[in-house]
Amino acid sequence: MNQNFSDFHSKTVETVLENLKTSLNGLSYQEAEERLKVYGKNVIEEGKKKSIFALFLEQFKNVMVLVLFAAAIISILLGEAADAAIILAVLLINAVFGVAQELKAEKAIDALKKLNMPYAKVYRDGHLMQIKTDEIVVGDIIEIEAGDIVPADLRLIESFNLKIDESALTGESVPVEKDANDVLAESTPLAERTNMAFMGTIVTYGRAKGVVVSTGMKTEIGKIANFVNLQSAIDTKTPLHEKLEEIGKYLTVGILAIAFIVFVTGLLYKRDVFEMFLTAVSLAVAAIPEGLPAVVTIVLAIGVQRMAKRNAIIRRLSSIETLGRVEVICSDKTGTLTQNKMNVVKVYCNDNLSENLEHEDNATKTLLQIMALCNDVKLDLVDKKPQFIGDPTEIALVKFAYEKGLNKNAIEKVFKRVYEVPFDSVRKMMTTVHEIKNDQKLLVFSKGAVDVIINKCKFIMVNDEILPLDENTRQKILQANKEMTSNALRVLAFAYKEIDKNELEDKNTIEDNLIFIGLVGMIDPPRKEAYGAVEVCYLAGITPVMITGDHKDTALAIAKELKIIDTSKDELSQVLTGSEIEKLDDQQLKEKVKEVRVYARVSPEHKLRIVSSWKSHGKIVAMTGDGVNDAPALKAADIGIGMGITGTDVTKNVSDVILADDNFATIVAAVEEGRKIYDNIRKTIQFLLSSNVGEVVTLFLATLLNWVVLYPIHILWVNLVTDTFPALALGMEKAESDVMKRKPKKTSENIFAGGLGFSILYQGFLKGLITLMVFFIGNKLYDHKTAITMTFMTLSLIQLTHAYNVRSNINSLFKMGVFSNKYLNLAFIASFLLQVVVLLVPPLRELFKLSYLNFSQWAIIIVASLSIIPIVEVVKYFTRHFHKE
């Protein structure tokens, strides 16, 4: 068995199976595991990652760090070995922290990529199951259908109206028609291999079964190493990062200007040139928030992993920011707002609407046959218990027929499928054609939307008699349909006809002149959690909108139950059907969407218009989708949400978010998580920038007053010890209690809006002034060295205590629970211990030019450091009062 052959297209299916040592039942579990060990995972290899050493060297590319490194060399030349050692030690520790942050962010992104791994339908030991695509091996038997991305190179075994978009591989824009029965010349070009399906291409129509002939880098697309898959969609640079980088540039210029003023002012006071140079450089290094983007990446990536635990898989980090701003959620009904567990509860047959099929006549027998055969459900008996794999609606039909004694597998042997016209969201129907054993006749079975099927019918079967479908009978059918849909049932119509084999040659007419058989009503009750999720949406200023292909009455019934519709207003004015959308131009629809909460009988093209209309009002729109044709609407939406269970690979591929449970409540939970993460990033920014402002204010004012309050090494150390741990801990803060009671933030809103910029400035100045006050007291009561030591400890501790203030800009710390963020508690302890070690270990104390502190000196430091909490609490009190007003 070898996957290096390239001529599978020139061999028959039997020869390929023999060469690959496999069968139509697929591989055994044991054989698949062995092949996985031999040939490796089915993945396209990524470029080599940077080594830890390379990441370490990159930490020294920063201009400020290089200047500091030069200062250390100058210190050595001037005989200041201790200063040089301290500077180099700080640079080394800072580099180690930088590498650790990058590795943590990279690890989080890698975990996100694993979450995005798609699945494929594979036969193992004769059973059809879903496995991750990276576990596929040569010899596996794969099933593909419309919307799937082909997971490996396949030699097709059987195909039904199969068309594949191969533009990613060949550049051919028109989907290629495939035929498993073709056996081609060995020299056939890649673009003309009609019996092959290649990795990375997209199934646009029909379905097929194939045997895997190549995986990973051995595939055609792997050979050119050009495959853009789900993993590549994960970006690490978000709009927020870009804003921060832009802000960072302005801050850098401003801080460098301040550092220059500090340097010049020191020289005017005749301070040592080298000392002032080192002070200015240290100030610039400490005050420029160069670590902020890395911290933001980690906070985002950790948030993504948390979302995954809540069944929302985020494919792009930038989506988190957008999620927190969502104003409109356009959601599918089936499986998202409802349970997607369909059960047949009503049947209309023989001019009778009942909860069961009560007669054994030709009409009821034919209806059960269509239910069992006109679908793509797989029935497997595991431990003598039926296992159904497929679409939930079709499963409900097959299950109903099975319970009536009609085994799909058994009846398929009698009525072999020879042709099919797959379901299409535009046609809204599906047709299969079956041979009658030992007969020259064919049976055409159709199912689909009531209005579509009834227009295809010219006759109706009642009991054992076929009658013309007159207007009176048509109205009875429509009345039965209305009765079922008004009770929130999903209704499908069923029809059939008998044709001669030669009539199959004209495939355009096989769905004409059908014989109507009956209607089947299925219930898909709302998810329990959807009730609360809809309520939360309205509290959060988010408009929930239901979009469904179901009948208007069914959609309205579910929407009323979930309270999506405002029952105090005219209900019908809040519902719009696809046919009504067709009659509206873009301007009219733009006006309508503001009132409409339910869209029924819509096609994917209508979804695109709905999204565009909402966006024209400047709204941030989230849109769900599962079918191939939903892709344009998902792309157009600010947040495209793919269904993880029922969604096709194509919709997952274009989505920003994938729901692992297809649940509307998960969308709302993701929005809440998005808001929380954005809040936490703002807290991180506030903490880091207010700390930097505090350091700048302390040194700038001290220099103007000709005070020596800190040495350069102190500034570097404080920045190193007090920044990283608390900043990351703030990123782990729980959501504030009112996070889903606020209106969504506008995209135009500045990151410093909502008082954040003011908080950074006043809190930074406050820290600087308190720190200088401690120096003043220490210098008056004790000696200069003690005053510097007290200043050093205060600047560090006040930043650590202030991290608790930053947990909310409005809510009181004491109401939130002072120590309720365990990560911040650990960060405080770790940073404080590092600070104390410098003071208590004699060699380090000498190196940092510090003095030992007594109880009264520690008391002054602690009181000063804690004083920022009540001051900020007073400001929060007035802020809350202002918000109430």
Side-chain angles (χ1 to χ4, degrees), residues 19-85:
N19 285 351
L20 297 177
K21 297 180 180 176
T22 186
S23 71
L24 293 174
N25 289 325
L27 301 170
S28 66
Y29 293 103
Q30 186 177 352
E31 176 63 21
E33 286 180 11
E34 290 298 321
R35 294 190 183 192
L36 192 62
K37 292 175 185 175
V38 174
Y39 296 104
K41 292 201 169 187
N42 176 39
V43 292
I44 300 299
E45 294 174 7
E46 299 177 6
K48 288 185 178 179
K49 292 183 179 180
K50 291 178 182 176
S51 65
I52 293 178
F53 182 68
L55 288 174
F56 181 77
L57 290 179
E58 280 193 356
Q59 306 305 311
F60 295 94
K61 287 182 179 180
N62 184 285
V63 176
M64 291 291 104
V65 173
L66 291 174
V67 172
L68 204 57
F69 192 73
I73 295 172
I74 295 170
S75 298
I76 293 171
L77 295 175
L78 293 175
E80 299 289 340
D83 281 350

Coordinates of all heavy atoms in Angstrom, one line a residue, residues 19-85:
N19 N -5.2 -2.0 -4.4 CA -3.9 -1.4 -4.2 C -3.7 -0.8 -2.9 O -2.7 -0.8 -2.3 CB -3.7 -0.3 -5.3 CG -3.4 -0.9 -6.7 OD1 -3.2 -2.1 -6.8 ND2 -3.3 0.0 -7.7
L20 N -4.8 -0.2 -2.4 CA -4.7 0.5 -1.1 C -5.1 -0.4 0.1 O -5.1 0.0 1.3 CB -5.7 1.7 -1.0 CG -5.4 2.8 -2.0 CD1 -6.4 3.9 -2.0 CD2 -4.0 3.4 -1.8
K21 N -5.4 -1.7 -0.2 CA -5.7 -2.7 0.8 C -6.8 -2.2 1.7 O -6.6 -2.2 3.0 CB -4.4 -3.0 1.6 CG -3.3 -3.7 0.7 CD -2.1 -4.0 1.5 CE -1.0 -4.6 0.7 NZ 0.2 -4.9 1.4
T22 N -7.9 -1.9 1.1 CA -9.1 -1.5 1.9 C -10.3 -2.0 1.2 O -10.2 -2.7 0.2 CB -9.1 0.1 2.0 OG1 -10.2 0.5 2.8 CG2 -9.4 0.7 0.6
S23 N -11.5 -1.7 1.7 CA -12.8 -2.2 1.2 C -13.8 -1.1 1.3 O -13.6 -0.1 1.9 CB -13.2 -3.5 1.9 OG -13.7 -3.1 3.2
L24 N -15.0 -1.4 0.8 CA -16.1 -0.4 0.8 C -16.6 -0.2 2.3 O -17.2 0.8 2.6 CB -17.3 -0.9 0.0 CG -17.0 -0.9 -1.5 CD1 -18.2 -1.5 -2.3 CD2 -16.8 0.5 -2.1
N25 N -16.3 -1.2 3.2 CA -16.6 -1.0 4.6 C -15.6 -0.2 5.3 O -15.8 0.1 6.5 CB -16.7 -2.4 5.3 CG -17.9 -3.2 4.8 OD1 -19.0 -2.6 4.5 ND2 -17.8 -4.5 4.7
G26 N -14.6 0.3 4.7 CA -13.5 1.1 5.3 C -12.5 0.3 6.1 O -12.5 -1.0 6.0
L27 N -11.6 1.0 6.8 CA -10.6 0.3 7.5 C -11.1 -0.1 8.9 O -12.1 0.5 9.4 CB -9.4 1.2 7.7 CG -8.7 1.7 6.4 CD1 -7.7 2.8 6.7 CD2 -8.0 0.6 5.6
S28 N -10.4 -1.0 9.5 CA -10.6 -1.3 10.9 C -10.0 -0.2 11.8 O -9.1 0.5 11.3 CB -10.1 -2.7 11.3 OG -8.7 -2.6 11.2
Y29 N -10.4 -0.1 13.0 CA -9.8 0.9 13.9 C -8.3 0.6 14.1 O -7.5 1.6 14.0 CB -10.4 0.8 15.3 CG -11.9 1.3 15.3 CD1 -12.9 0.4 15.4 CD2 -12.2 2.6 15.3 CE1 -14.2 0.8 15.4 CE2 -13.5 3.0 15.3 CZ -14.5 2.1 15.4 OH -15.8 2.5 15.4
Q30 N -7.9 -0.6 14.2 CA -6.5 -1.0 14.4 C -5.7 -0.7 13.2 O -4.6 -0.1 13.3 CB -6.4 -2.5 14.7 CG -5.0 -3.0 15.1 CD -4.9 -4.5 15.4 OE1 -6.0 -5.1 15.5 NE2 -3.8 -5.0 15.6
E31 N -6.2 -1.0 12.0 CA -5.4 -0.7 10.8 C -5.3 0.8 10.6 O -4.2 1.3 10.2 CB -6.2 -1.3 9.6 CG -5.5 -1.0 8.2 CD -4.1 -1.5 8.0 OE1 -3.8 -2.5 8.8 OE2 -3.4 -1.0 7.2
A32 N -6.3 1.6 10.9 CA -6.3 3.1 10.8 C -5.2 3.6 11.7 O -4.5 4.5 11.3 CB -7.6 3.7 11.1
E33 N -5.1 3.1 12.9 CA -4.1 3.6 13.9 C -2.7 3.3 13.4 O -1.8 4.1 13.5 CB -4.4 3.0 15.3 CG -5.6 3.6 16.0 CD -5.8 2.9 17.3 OE1 -4.9 2.1 17.8 OE2 -6.8 3.1 17.9
E34 N -2.5 2.1 12.8 CA -1.2 1.7 12.3 C -0.8 2.6 11.1 O 0.3 3.1 11.1 CB -1.3 0.3 11.8 CG -1.3 -0.8 12.9 CD -0.1 -0.7 13.9 OE1 1.0 -0.5 13.4 OE2 -0.4 -0.8 15.1
R35 N -1.7 2.9 10.2 CA -1.4 3.8 9.1 C -1.1 5.2 9.5 O -0.3 5.9 8.9 CB -2.6 3.7 8.1 CG -2.8 2.4 7.4 CD -3.7 2.4 6.3 NE -3.9 1.1 5.7 CZ -4.5 0.8 4.6 NH1 -5.0 1.8 3.8 NH2 -4.7 -0.5 4.2
L36 N -1.8 5.7 10.6 CA -1.6 7.0 11.1 C -0.2 7.1 11.6 O 0.5 8.2 11.4 CB -2.6 7.3 12.2 CG -2.7 8.8 12.7 CD1 -3.1 9.7 11.5 CD2 -3.7 9.0 13.8
K37 N 0.3 6.1 12.3 CA 1.7 6.1 12.8 C 2.7 6.1 11.6 O 3.7 6.8 11.7 CB 1.9 4.8 13.6 CG 1.2 4.8 14.9 CD 1.4 3.5 15.7 CE 0.5 3.4 17.0 NZ 0.7 2.1 17.6
V38 N 2.4 5.4 10.5 CA 3.3 5.3 9.4 C 3.3 6.6 8.6 O 4.4 7.1 8.2 CB 2.9 4.1 8.5 CG1 3.8 4.0 7.2 CG2 3.1 2.8 9.3
Y39 N 2.2 7.1 8.2 CA 2.1 8.2 7.3 C 1.9 9.6 8.0 O 2.0 10.6 7.3 CB 1.0 8.0 6.3 CG 1.2 6.7 5.4 CD1 0.6 5.5 5.7 CD2 2.2 6.8 4.4 CE1 0.8 4.4 4.9 CE2 2.4 5.6 3.6 CZ 1.8 4.5 3.9 OH 2.0 3.4 3.1
G40 N 1.6 9.6 9.3 CA 1.5 10.9 9.9 C 0.1 11.4 9.8 O -0.8 10.9 9.1
K41 N -0.1 12.6 10.4 CA -1.4 13.2 10.4 C -1.7 13.9 9.1 O -0.8 14.3 8.4 CB -1.5 14.3 11.5 CG -1.5 13.6 12.9 CD -2.1 14.6 14.0 CE -2.3 13.8 15.3 NZ -3.0 14.7 16.2
N42 N -3.0 14.0 8.8 CA -3.5 14.6 7.5 C -3.5 16.1 7.7 O -4.6 16.7 7.8 CB -4.8 14.0 7.2 CG -5.4 14.6 6.0 OD1 -4.7 14.9 5.0 ND2 -6.7 14.9 6.0
V43 N -2.4 16.7 7.7 CA -2.3 18.2 7.9 C -1.3 18.8 6.9 O -0.4 18.1 6.5 CB -1.9 18.6 9.3 CG1 -3.0 18.2 10.3 CG2 -0.6 18.0 9.7
I44 N -1.5 20.0 6.5 CA -0.6 20.8 5.7 C 0.4 21.4 6.7 O 0.0 22.1 7.6 CB -1.3 21.9 4.9 CG1 -2.3 21.3 4.0 CG2 -0.2 22.7 4.1 CD1 -1.7 20.3 3.0
E45 N 1.7 21.1 6.5 CA 2.7 21.6 7.5 C 2.8 23.1 7.4 O 2.8 23.7 6.3 CB 4.0 21.0 7.2 CG 4.0 19.5 7.4 CD 5.3 18.8 7.0 OE1 6.3 19.6 6.6 OE2 5.4 17.6 7.0
E46 N 2.9 23.7 8.6 CA 3.1 25.2 8.6 C 4.6 25.5 8.6 O 5.4 24.6 8.8 CB 2.5 25.7 9.9 CG 1.0 25.5 10.0 CD 0.4 25.9 11.3 OE1 1.1 26.6 12.1 OE2 -0.8 25.7 11.5
G47 N 4.9 26.8 8.4 CA 6.3 27.2 8.5 C 6.9 27.0 9.8 O 6.2 26.9 10.8
K48 N 8.2 26.9 9.9 CA 8.9 26.6 11.1 C 8.6 27.8 12.1 O 8.7 29.0 11.8 CB 10.4 26.5 10.9 CG 10.7 25.1 10.2 CD 12.2 25.0 10.1 CE 12.6 23.6 9.5 NZ 14.1 23.5 9.4
K49 N 8.4 27.4 13.4 CA 8.2 28.4 14.4 C 9.6 28.9 14.9 O 10.6 28.2 14.8 CB 7.4 27.9 15.6 CG 5.9 27.6 15.2 CD 5.2 27.1 16.4 CE 3.7 26.8 16.0 NZ 2.9 26.3 17.2
K50 N 9.6 30.1 15.4 CA 10.8 30.7 15.9 C 11.2 29.9 17.2 O 10.4 29.5 18.0 CB 10.6 32.2 16.2 CG 10.4 33.1 15.0 CD 10.2 34.5 15.4 CE 9.9 35.4 14.2 NZ 9.6 36.8 14.6
S51 N 12.5 29.7 17.3 CA 13.0 29.0 18.5 C 13.0 30.0 19.7 O 12.8 31.2 19.5 CB 14.5 28.6 18.2 OG 15.3 29.8 18.1
I52 N 13.1 29.4 20.9 CA 13.1 30.2 22.1 C 14.2 31.2 22.1 O 14.1 32.4 22.5 CB 13.1 29.3 23.3 CG1 11.8 28.5 23.4 CG2 13.3 30.1 24.6 CD1 11.8 27.5 24.6
F53 N 15.4 30.7 21.5 CA 16.6 31.6 21.5 C 16.3 32.8 20.5 O 16.6 33.9 20.9 CB 17.8 30.8 21.0 CG 19.0 31.7 20.9 CD1 19.6 32.1 22.1 CD2 19.6 32.0 19.7 CE1 20.8 32.9 22.0 CE2 20.7 32.8 19.6 CZ 21.4 33.2 20.8
A54 N 15.6 32.6 19.4 CA 15.3 33.6 18.5 C 14.3 34.6 19.1 O 14.4 35.8 19.0 CB 14.7 33.1 17.2
L55 N 13.3 34.1 19.9 CA 12.4 34.9 20.6 C 13.1 35.8 21.6 O 12.8 37.0 21.8 CB 11.3 34.1 21.2 CG 10.2 33.4 20.3 CD1 9.3 32.5 21.1 CD2 9.4 34.5 19.6
F56 N 14.1 35.1 22.3 CA 14.9 35.8 23.3 C 15.6 37.0 22.7 O 15.6 38.1 23.2 CB 15.8 34.8 24.0 CG 16.7 35.4 25.1 CD1 16.1 35.7 26.3 CD2 18.0 35.8 24.8 CE1 16.9 36.2 27.3 CE2 18.7 36.4 25.9 CZ 18.2 36.6 27.1
L57 N 16.3 36.8 21.5 CA 17.0 37.8 20.9 C 16.1 39.0 20.4 O 16.5 40.2 20.5 CB 17.8 37.3 19.7 CG 19.0 36.3 20.0 CD1 19.6 35.9 18.7 CD2 20.0 37.1 20.8
E58 N 14.9 38.6 20.0 CA 13.9 39.7 19.6 C 13.6 40.6 20.7 O 13.2 41.8 20.4 CB 12.7 39.0 19.0 CG 12.8 38.5 17.6 CD 11.5 38.1 17.0 OE1 10.5 38.2 17.7 OE2 11.5 37.8 15.8
Q59 N 13.7 40.2 21.9 CA 13.4 41.1 23.0 C 14.3 42.3 23.1 O 14.0 43.3 23.8 CB 13.4 40.3 24.4 CG 12.5 39.1 24.4 CD 11.1 39.3 24.1 OE1 10.5 40.2 24.6 NE2 10.5 38.5 23.1
F60 N 15.5 42.1 22.5 CA 16.5 43.2 22.5 C 16.5 44.1 21.3 O 17.3 45.0 21.1 CB 17.9 42.6 22.7 CG 18.1 41.8 24.0 CD1 17.8 40.5 24.1 CD2 18.4 42.5 25.2 CE1 18.0 39.8 25.3 CE2 18.5 41.8 26.4 CZ 18.3 40.5 26.4
K61 N 15.5 43.9 20.4 CA 15.4 44.7 19.2 C 14.7 46.1 19.5 O 14.8 47.0 18.7 CB 14.6 44.0 18.1 CG 15.3 42.9 17.5 CD 14.5 42.2 16.4 CE 15.3 41.1 15.8 NZ 14.5 40.4 14.7
N62 N 14.1 46.2 20.7 CA 13.5 47.5 21.0 C 14.6 48.6 21.2 O 15.6 48.4 21.9 CB 12.7 47.3 22.4 CG 11.9 48.5 22.8 OD1 12.5 49.5 23.2 ND2 10.6 48.5 22.6
V63 N 14.3 49.7 20.6 CA 15.3 50.8 20.7 C 15.7 51.2 22.1 O 16.8 51.4 22.4 CB 14.8 52.1 19.9 CG1 15.7 53.2 20.0 CG2 14.5 51.7 18.5
M64 N 14.6 51.3 23.0 CA 14.9 51.7 24.3 C 15.8 50.7 25.1 O 16.6 51.1 25.9 CB 13.6 51.9 25.1 CG 12.7 53.1 24.6 SD 13.4 54.6 25.1 CE 14.1 55.2 23.5
V65 N 15.5 49.4 24.8 CA 16.3 48.4 25.4 C 17.7 48.4 25.0 O 18.7 48.3 25.8 CB 15.7 47.0 25.1 CG1 16.6 45.9 25.6 CG2 14.3 46.9 25.8
L66 N 17.9 48.7 23.7 CA 19.3 48.8 23.1 C 20.0 50.0 23.8 O 21.2 49.9 24.1 CB 19.3 49.0 21.6 CG 18.8 47.7 20.8 CD1 18.7 48.0 19.4 CD2 19.8 46.6 21.0
V67 N 19.3 51.1 24.0 CA 19.9 52.3 24.6 C 20.3 51.9 26.0 O 21.4 52.3 26.5 CB 19.0 53.5 24.6 CG1 19.5 54.6 25.4 CG2 18.7 53.9 23.2
L68 N 19.5 51.2 26.7 CA 19.8 50.8 28.1 C 20.9 49.8 28.1 O 21.8 49.9 29.0 CB 18.5 50.1 28.7 CG 18.4 50.1 30.2 CD1 18.4 51.5 30.8 CD2 17.1 49.4 30.7
F69 N 21.0 48.9 27.1 CA 22.1 48.0 27.0 C 23.4 48.8 26.8 O 24.5 48.5 27.4 CB 21.9 47.1 25.8 CG 22.8 45.9 25.8 CD1 22.7 44.8 26.7 CD2 23.8 45.8 24.8 CE1 23.5 43.7 26.6 CE2 24.7 44.8 24.8 CZ 24.5 43.7 25.7
A70 N 23.4 49.8 26.0 CA 24.5 50.7 25.8 C 24.9 51.4 27.1 O 26.1 51.5 27.4 CB 24.2 51.7 24.7
A71 N 23.9 51.8 27.8 CA 24.2 52.4 29.1 C 24.9 51.5 30.1 O 25.8 51.9 30.8 CB 22.9 52.9 29.7
A72 N 24.6 50.2 30.0 CA 25.3 49.2 30.9 C 26.7 49.1 30.5 O 27.6 49.0 31.3 CB 24.6 47.9 30.7
I73 N 27.0 49.1 29.2 CA 28.4 49.0 28.7 C 29.2 50.3 29.1 O 30.3 50.2 29.6 CB 28.4 48.9 27.1 CG1 27.8 47.6 26.7 CG2 29.8 49.0 26.6 CD1 27.6 47.4 25.3
I74 N 28.5 51.4 29.0 CA 29.2 52.7 29.5 C 29.5 52.6 30.9 O 30.5 53.1 31.4 CB 28.3 53.9 29.1 CG1 28.1 54.1 27.6 CG2 28.8 55.2 29.8 CD1 27.1 55.1 27.2
S75 N 28.5 52.0 31.7 CA 28.7 51.9 33.2 C 30.0 51.1 33.5 O 30.8 51.4 34.3 CB 27.5 51.2 33.8 OG 26.4 52.0 33.7
I76 N 30.2 50.0 32.7 CA 31.3 49.1 32.9 C 32.6 49.9 32.6 O 33.6 49.9 33.3 CB 31.2 47.9 32.0 CG1 30.1 47.0 32.4 CG2 32.5 47.1 32.0 CD1 29.7 45.9 31.5
L77 N 32.6 50.7 31.5 CA 33.7 51.5 31.1 C 34.1 52.5 32.1 O 35.3 52.9 32.3 CB 33.5 52.1 29.7 CG 33.3 51.2 28.5 CD1 33.0 51.9 27.3 CD2 34.6 50.4 28.3
L78 N 33.0 53.1 32.8 CA 33.3 54.1 33.8 C 33.6 53.5 35.2 O 33.7 54.2 36.2 CB 32.0 55.0 33.9 CG 31.7 55.9 32.7 CD1 30.4 56.6 32.9 CD2 32.9 56.9 32.5
G79 N 33.6 52.1 35.3 CA 33.9 51.5 36.5 C 32.8 51.3 37.4 O 32.9 50.8 38.6
E80 N 31.5 51.5 36.9 CA 30.3 51.3 37.7 C 29.8 49.9 37.5 O 28.7 49.7 36.9 CB 29.3 52.4 37.4 CG 29.7 53.8 37.6 CD 29.8 54.1 39.1 OE1 29.2 53.4 39.9 OE2 30.5 55.1 39.5
A81 N 30.5 48.9 37.9 CA 30.2 47.5 37.7 C 28.8 47.2 38.3 O 28.1 46.4 37.7 CB 31.3 46.6 38.2
A82 N 28.6 47.7 39.5 CA 27.3 47.3 40.2 C 26.1 47.8 39.4 O 25.1 47.1 39.2 CB 27.3 47.9 41.6
D83 N 26.2 49.1 38.9 CA 25.1 49.6 38.1 C 24.9 48.8 36.8 O 23.8 48.5 36.4 CB 25.4 51.1 37.7 CG 25.1 52.0 38.8 OD1 24.5 51.6 39.8 OD2 25.5 53.2 38.7
A84 N 26.0 48.4 36.2 CA 26.0 47.7 34.9 C 25.3 46.3 35.2 O 24.5 45.8 34.4 CB 27.4 47.5 34.4
A85 N 25.7 45.7 36.3 CA 25.2 44.3 36.7 C 23.7 44.4 36.9 O 22.9 43.5 36.4 CB 25.9 43.8 37.9

